[in-house]
């Protein structure tokens, strides 16, 4: 995999460099609520502009259905990028049309343009390789060189992620190189004890990574909505908590395999419950009750790990040398259910372990709850990509760079 440093050594002055970034930021209307992914690509863009490149930044945002939808426009991301760079950023209101070509043709060396959401074109996510190849060919006309720096998209076999870098000279940006380097620390020659913390809503989203990590981890801590399927598998009443009945056999299998391999598999011992889901807009007080996981009322829902579990998990993290965390412990967006996620984050801050926060909601929680990002070993920009890498899958966006 060739890196951006190799590209810079060759010289990029006056060259058009296509940077496939991940500007898929959360929006409240047109207001960006977390600009972490934009800040993550700044080192690559700054290095290219400083070397005189004409930088064309492309990304997806959200899930538009292959046609323009202003609710998913990259215009707010382009405006924020300009603020962070302290320099003007041109914006093209189309992806491969006249505006995109005019914006790129108008670039001076050291300047930046952002083209509109790649997913506004059906070819980007098409299951038809020919349709993806057609879009890739048209994107290729906008640049001379390709730099991959959207780690959050490398697990997708999309036109701009997979087909385009196979058509032109392609290099890994600083973010991609950093992310891959960190993930290798979680899969090759891992420092032990190696503790994995998994949360989030669904067991099914994490089954493959659990299966792989049972071969690598020393300890696995489970929280979030996915915990209730494991608790049900162990014979507990879980009330109206999130439950995937069809995954109970898999949970039982993994619990048995963990015991056989000597992997400590830790489930919550108490939870915060309520008869109704909290209002995340008004943040109205929810007044939850704390109960043991063997005493969840039939008419109530578990929404966060309880105080005893917080203490337990902090203790299980205290002696770790390596930690991977993916998924919140509860509905952290509401203050009454944020303490579990906050406790895990604080335990990582307090620990001397090399800690990796696996993107997605976990990364958002760290920032939302006010933690210093520098207190963690690494905060990934790609939750899904991180998980698939740890599952042992081949990621199309990385494979394309190795061709």
């Amino acid at each position: 995999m060739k890196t951006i440093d190799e590209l810079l050594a060759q010289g990029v002055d006056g060259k058009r460099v296509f940077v496939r970034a991940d500007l898929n930021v959360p929006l409240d209307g047109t207001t960006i609520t977390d600009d972490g992914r934009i800040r993550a690509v700044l080192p690559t863009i700054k290095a290219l502009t400083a070397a005189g490149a004409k930088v064309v930044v492309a990304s997806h945002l959200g899930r538009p259905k292959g046609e323009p939808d202003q609710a998913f426009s990259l215009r707010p991301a382009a405006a924020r990028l300009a603020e962070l760079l302290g320099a003007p950023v041109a914006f093209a209101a189309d992806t491969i049309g006249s505006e995109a070509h005019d914006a790129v043709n108008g670039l001076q060396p050291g300047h930046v343009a952002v083209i509109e959401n790649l997913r506004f074109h059906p070819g980007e996510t098409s299951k038809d390789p020919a349709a993806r190849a057609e879009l890739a060919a048209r994107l290729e006309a906008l640049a001379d060189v390709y730099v991959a720096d959207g780690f959050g998209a490398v697990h997708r076999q999309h036109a701009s992620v997979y087909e385009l870098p196979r058509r032109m000279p392609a290099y890994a940006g600083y973010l991609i190189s950093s992310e891959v380097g960190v993930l290798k620390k979680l899969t090759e020659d891992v420092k032990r004890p190696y503790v994995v913390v998994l949360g989030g809503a669904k067991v099914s989203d994490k089954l493959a990574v659990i299966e792989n990590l049972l071969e690598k981890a020393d300890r696995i801590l489970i929280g979030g909505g996915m915990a209730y399927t494991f608790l049900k598998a162990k014979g507990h009443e879980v009330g109206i908590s999130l439950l995937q009945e069809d995954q109970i056999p898999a949970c039982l299998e993994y619990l048995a395999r963990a015991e056989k391999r000597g992997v400590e598999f830790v489930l919550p011992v108490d939870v915060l419950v309520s008869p109704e889901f909290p209002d995340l807009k008004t943040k109205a007080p929810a007044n939850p009750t704390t109960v043991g996981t063997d005493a969840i009322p039939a008419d109530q829902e578990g929404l966060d790990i309880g105080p005893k579990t917080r203490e337990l998990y902090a203790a299980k993290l205290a002696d770790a040398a390596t930690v991977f965390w993916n998924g919140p412990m509860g509905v952290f967006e509401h203050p009454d259910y944020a303490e579990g996620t906050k406790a895990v984050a604080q335990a990582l801050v307090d620990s001397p372990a090399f800690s990796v926060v696996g993107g997605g909601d976990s990364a958002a929680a760290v920032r939302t709850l006010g933690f210093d990002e520098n207190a963690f070993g690494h905060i990934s920009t790609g939750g899904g990509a991180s998980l698939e890498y740890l599952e042992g899958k081949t990621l199309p966006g990385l494979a394309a760079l190795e061709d």
Side-chain angles (χ1 to χ4, degrees), residues 238-241 273-276 288-289 296-302:
V238 297
I240 57 172
S241 305
V273 299
S274 173
E276 58 186 11
T289 304
I296 298 175
D299 63 345
Q300 301 211 24
E301 177 178 13

Side-chain angles (χ1 to χ4, degrees), residues 58-220:
S59 176
H60 69 286
L61 192 154
R63 296 179 182 272
K65 298 178 179 178
E67 58 185 28
D69 181 341
Q70 289 309 299
F72 300 107
S73 175
L74 280 174
R75 193 179 292 276
R80 180 58 180 152
L81 178 60
E83 291 175 357
L84 292 169
L85 289 172
V89 170
F91 179 73
D94 59 29
T95 302
I96 50 175
S98 59
E99 288 211 26
H101 283 273
D102 289 346
V104 173
N105 292 337
L107 282 177
Q108 296 298 311
H111 288 208
V112 179
V114 173
I115 62 174
E116 187 55 284
N117 193 335
L118 291 162
R119 291 185 182 174
F120 283 3
H121 192 288
E124 171 69 358
T125 60
S126 175
K127 296 185 185 303
D128 180 1
R132 296 197 307 268
E134 181 183 355
L135 174 58
R138 297 184 69 180
L139 290 170
E140 184 183 9
L142 296 173
D144 307 303
V145 182
Y146 179 97
V147 171
D149 220 31
F151 181 73
V154 294
H155 59 313
R156 306 294 188 191
Q157 193 164 330
H158 291 168
S160 67
V161 175
Y162 182 67
E163 272 81 9
L164 184 57
R166 297 169 72 208
R167 299 180 64 95
M168 58 198 306
Y171 300 81
Y174 290 125
L175 176 60
I176 292 276
S177 297
S178 173
E179 294 272 14
V180 172
V182 165
L183 289 170
K184 284 183 176 179
K185 290 184 180 181
L186 300 178
T187 54
E188 303 172 10
D189 194 25
V190 181
K191 292 184 178 179
R192 300 185 179 280
Y194 177 20
V195 182
V196 175
V197 186
L198 295 175
K202 296 180 179 180
V203 172
S204 55
D205 292 343
K206 305 289 195 320
L207 283 180
V209 75
I210 292 173
E211 180 165 9
N212 203 314
L213 289 171
L214 280 172
E215 306 295 321
K216 297 180 174 67
D218 299 300
R219 196 176 295 152
I220 298 176

Side-chain angles (χ1 to χ4, degrees), residues 369-392:
L369 297 174
F371 286 91
D372 179 0
E373 294 179 46
N374 295 320
F376 302 88
H378 179 74
I379 298 179
S380 178
T381 57
S386 295
L387 287 176
E388 291 199 15
Y389 189 100
L390 294 180
E391 289 169 20

